[in-house]
Amino acid sequence: MNADGTARGQGSRSALTAAATHAFGAIPPPALVLLGIVSVQLGSAIAKHLFSEVGSFGTVSLRLFFAALVLMLVWRPSVRLNREAWTVVLGYGLVLGVMNLFFYLSLERLPLGIAVTIEFLGPLGVALAGSRRWLDAFWALLAAGGVVLLMEGRGDLDALGVVFALAAGACWGLYILVGAALGRHTTEGNGLALGMAVAAVVAVPFGVADSGTALIQPWVLIAGLGVALLSSVLPYTFDLEALRRMPPRVFGILMSLEPAMAALIGLVVLQEALSWSQWLAVLCVVAASAGATRGARPPPDPAQG
């Protein structure tokens, strides 16, 4: 009876996966990346509307809890991992949880476009780390110039918000490195699901302590589920499918559009207008990220020794 039930469950999951794969197959990979960028920034905009009710800690705890729940139900990962794999999963989840806590703290104090632009310095630093090319030095200077413009473009930028965004960016850079290790030690979405569960365990106590019973209001729970789907489940799904069908370097260049998209969605959805110098700063960081990603050396081919 148990074996029969398991077989039916696996068959249903395979059918759903096949249907999703077919649907995604009709969408060009660049469009999938752009959909993922729009989705995650819309999720951040909705999250800001929840701050007045449950605060940043409450909002991030709802996001990670529901994202972990959905991913665990979809992937049903096995917990039978070796010690090394569990170490990577725990590290991934810890970094993911802390990164989201810092980012949402920055969103409480900064416009969406500025918070994302500052946070984007983390992955840009990873892309430039260890490079000895003069052109990469130019990209680093361009990004630094963008930061100067960003800070001078408006005198009322919250200093603590900038610190939180920088901390989130540092976590994002570390997240990229740990995420690569996660891909080597786990398969499909199993590591992602387990890591998201760990991130939820990290964040939820902060949300409960800060917001208490406000978290279980029906409309707050629905909004939290929406934030989780838009900010985590959908963009990760889009990105994984896009990476199967396009070179990582092209993917990275398209991802460089994220600060500009964040500023645009902040303007349209949240009415967060930036000054002309801050828009120029965002474009500097976008150009530096795209240039650094385009010029990055591809990983060595294992078949070539």
Side-chain angles (χ1 to χ4, degrees), residues 45-59:
I46 293 174
K48 291 199 76 166
H49 287 299
L50 278 174
F51 287 173
S52 60
E53 188 69 30
V54 294
S56 61
F57 284 165
T59 304

Side-chain angles (χ1 to χ4, degrees), residues 94-265:
L94 177 62
V95 171
L96 181 62
V98 173
M99 177 178 70
N100 277 277
L101 287 170
F102 276 131
F103 178 63
Y104 276 52
L105 282 171
S106 72
L107 277 186
E108 272 192 318
R109 295 163 171 82
L110 298 174
L112 175 61
I114 292 179
V116 172
T117 300
I118 296 174
E119 187 195 26
F120 215 77
L121 297 176
L124 177 58
V126 171
L128 294 172
S131 174
R132 297 180 179 178
R133 300 188 318 149
W134 284 106
L135 186 57
D136 285 334
F138 169 75
W139 299 130
L141 288 174
L142 183 61
V147 172
V148 171
L149 282 172
L150 202 62
M151 302 307 295
E152 293 184 350
R154 182 184 291 176
D156 59 351
L157 277 185
D158 187 284
L160 190 57
V162 172
V163 171
F164 286 143
L166 288 171
C171 290
W172 193 355
L174 185 58
Y175 167 84
I176 292 172
L177 301 177
V178 179
L182 185 76
R184 293 193 299 268
H185 288 87
T186 60
T187 58
E188 296 183 313
N190 298 316
L192 172 61
L194 291 172
M196 190 68 73
V198 173
V201 170
V202 170
V204 167
F206 288 93
V208 172
D210 189 50
S211 304
T213 57
L215 289 172
I216 59 175
Q217 298 176 82
W219 77 268
V220 170
L221 291 173
I222 293 171
L225 175 60
V227 170
L229 292 174
L230 287 170
S231 297
S232 297
V233 178
L234 289 178
Y236 287 142
T237 303
F238 291 150
D239 291 350
L240 286 173
E241 181 61 26
L243 280 168
R244 291 190 183 100
R245 296 159 51 197
M246 70 191 308
R249 188 178 302 185
V250 177
F251 175 85
I253 292 173
L254 290 171
M255 286 296 293
S256 300
L257 295 172
E258 192 152 349
M261 184 62 69
L264 183 60
I265 288 178

Side-chain angles (χ1 to χ4, degrees), residues 44 163 271:
S44 296
V163 171
Q271 288 76 53

Side-chain angles (χ1 to χ4, degrees), residues 280-300:
L280 182 58
V282 170
L283 295 178
C284 284
V285 173
V286 168
S289 178
T293 303
R294 185 175 184 274
R297 294 181 180 179

Side-chain angles (χ1 to χ4, degrees), residues 2-12:
N2 289 339
D4 183 57
T6 301
R8 285 199 301 271
Q10 290 176 342
S12 299

